[in-house]
């Protein structure tokens, strides 16, 4: 593992690190914020999964999460959204290929050799973090935005024993029925739609729900509402009587201005679960 940078931040340290990834077949970069408490003892970990076109850097520099994480004594991990490099498959469209891993393990060519973000987020990176940093891996929580909200919800519902809470900002809520999903699942997983269901938050909510609290915030002025399909997830949460809240925030769009506005509430939501 290589240290790219480390900066003092809200009493703690915001680091950026790279490492050779077996899951993704190349170098991967992630950001990790450690509050000052990590100098004395392992601290809980909150994952933040970013959306389309993002790297590890977008949320790290725009979401304003470190201030609230420092207040709660929580670490933040900002992974990248896909493998990258000259030898990694890509597409001219912004919503497929590099920057658009969709948090799945690709099984179809030409994506399969590198696009294994599910294994990277759920297995490889957690192991690396646990071995190298002062983190309490028994206390984890997860959140994300847009494509990352999709990833956070689906990963949490598959691993409820690992995550104490899950939250999402404007998640891609029903990808098997949306152009933000059908296009990518066809490319990464093939045309057999039965393989897609495991990565659809609405279908997973209907089938199993989450054994813990869920918080979803969606802006009413989001220009991608038709692609996100938030109403499907809201209906599934209500039908399942899922613990948590689905909130429509009047006037907010899909940008980091939206996320930074409600980030304090999301970090506090996770802190309550992590310190319960």
């Amino acid at each position: 593992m290589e240290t790219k940078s480390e900066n003092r931040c809200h009493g703690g340290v915001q680091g950026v690190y790279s490492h050779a990834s077996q899951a993704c077949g190349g170098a991967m970069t992630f950001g990790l914020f450690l509050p000052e408490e990590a100098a004395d003892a392992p601290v809980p970990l909150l994952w933040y999964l970013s959306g389309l076109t993002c790297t590890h850097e977008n949320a790290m520099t725009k979401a304003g999460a470190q201030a609230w994480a420092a207040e709660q004594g929580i670490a933040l991990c900002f992974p990248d959204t896909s493998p990258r490099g000259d030898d990694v498959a890509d597409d001219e469209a912004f919503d497929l290929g590099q920057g658009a891993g969709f948090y799945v393990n690709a099984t179809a060519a030409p994506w399969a050799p590198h696009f294994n973000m599910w294994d990277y987020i759920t297995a490889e990176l957690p192991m690396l973090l646990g071995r190298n940093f002062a983190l309490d891996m028994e206390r984890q929580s997860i959140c994300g935005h847009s494509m990352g909200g999709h990833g956070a919800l689906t990963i949490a519902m598959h691993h409820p024993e690992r995550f104490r809470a899950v939250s999402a900002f404007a998640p891609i809520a029903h990808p098997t029925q949306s152009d933000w999903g059908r296009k990518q699942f066809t490319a990464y997983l093939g045309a057999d739609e039965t393989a897609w269901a495991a990565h659809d938050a609405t279908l997973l909510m209907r089938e199993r729900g989450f054994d813990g609290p869920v918080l979803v915030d969606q802006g009413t002025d989001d220009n991608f509402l038709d692609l996100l399909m938030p109403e499907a997830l809201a209906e599934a949460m209500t039908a399942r009587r899922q613990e948590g809240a689905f909130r429509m925030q009047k006037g907010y769009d899909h940008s980091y201005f939206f996320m930074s506005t409600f980030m304090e509430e999301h970090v506090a939501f996770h802190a309550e679960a992590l310190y319960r």
Side-chain angles (χ1 to χ4, degrees):
M1 190 177 68
E2 177 186 355
T3 300
K4 308 293 284 187
S5 64
E6 287 183 334
N7 298 95
R8 192 73 168 160
C9 181
H10 293 285
V13 175
Q14 176 62 65
V16 177
Y17 310 92
S18 67
H19 68 104
S21 167
Q22 184 175 358
C24 295
M28 293 291 289
T29 301
F30 65 92
L32 181 69
F33 170 74
L34 291 172
E36 60 181 342
E37 289 85 348
D40 300 316
V43 295
L45 174 62
L46 174 58
W47 295 82
Y48 185 97
L49 305 186
S50 289
L52 289 165
T53 75
C54 291
T55 68
H56 68 282
E57 189 175 21
N58 296 73
M60 188 179 80
T61 59
K62 294 180 180 180
Q66 292 93 335
W68 311 119
E71 188 175 284
Q72 301 287 354
I74 293 171
L76 294 168
C77 183
F78 304 98
D80 203 347
T81 55
S82 79
R84 298 178 189 273
D86 293 339
D87 62 336
V88 176
D90 201 6
D91 191 90
E92 292 182 357
F94 76 94
D95 57 358
L96 187 67
Q98 296 185 38
F102 258 76
Y103 304 101
V104 302
N105 286 339
T107 57
W111 313 103
H114 297 283
F115 281 74
N116 296 297
M117 290 301 294
W118 183 274
D119 282 353
Y120 180 68
I121 297 297
T122 64
E124 185 176 36
L125 188 53
M127 186 176 297
L128 182 75
L129 295 178
R131 287 176 174 174
N132 290 279
F133 299 97
L135 298 170
D136 181 356
M137 301 304 283
E138 296 300 314
R139 290 188 291 167
Q140 297 184 59
S141 200
I142 191 167
C143 67
H145 167 237
S146 193
M147 179 184 72
H150 139 78
L153 289 165
T154 56
I155 288 171
M157 283 188 274
H158 278 283
H159 294 281
E161 76 290 346
R162 181 179 303 179
F163 300 105
R164 303 221 180 157
V166 58
S167 73
F169 297 92
I172 300 174
H174 201 9
T176 61
Q177 301 302 314
S178 169
D179 287 343
W180 269 2
R182 296 188 64 83
K183 171 184 177 179
Q184 293 81 6
F185 290 171
T186 300
Y188 296 145
L189 304 176
D192 182 4
E193 297 189 18
T194 60
W196 304 357
H199 299 285
D200 186 306
T202 293
L203 299 181
L204 289 170
M205 183 60 67
R206 292 172 184 169
E207 176 188 334
R208 62 179 71 186
F210 178 66
D211 186 19
V214 176
L215 173 61
V216 178
D217 274 320
Q218 172 64 62
T220 62
D221 286 8
D222 194 315
N223 51 318
F224 300 113
L225 273 175
D226 290 343
L227 291 166
L228 301 172
M229 301 181 68
E231 67 283 352
L233 180 60
E235 290 168 2
M237 288 177 64
T238 300
R240 184 147 196 104
R241 299 179 181 177
Q242 170 66 48
E243 176 190 2
F246 188 104
R247 311 188 303 190
M248 295 296 296
Q249 301 291 2
K250 184 174 177 59
Y252 286 91
D253 57 20
H254 202 70
S255 72
Y256 273 91
F257 297 111
F258 166 49
M259 281 172 283
S260 62
T261 300
F262 297 99
M263 184 59 70
E264 179 183 8
E265 294 179 32
H266 278 245
V267 173
F269 163 79
H270 288 286
E272 182 179 355
L274 289 166
Y275 285 111
R276 184 177 301 163

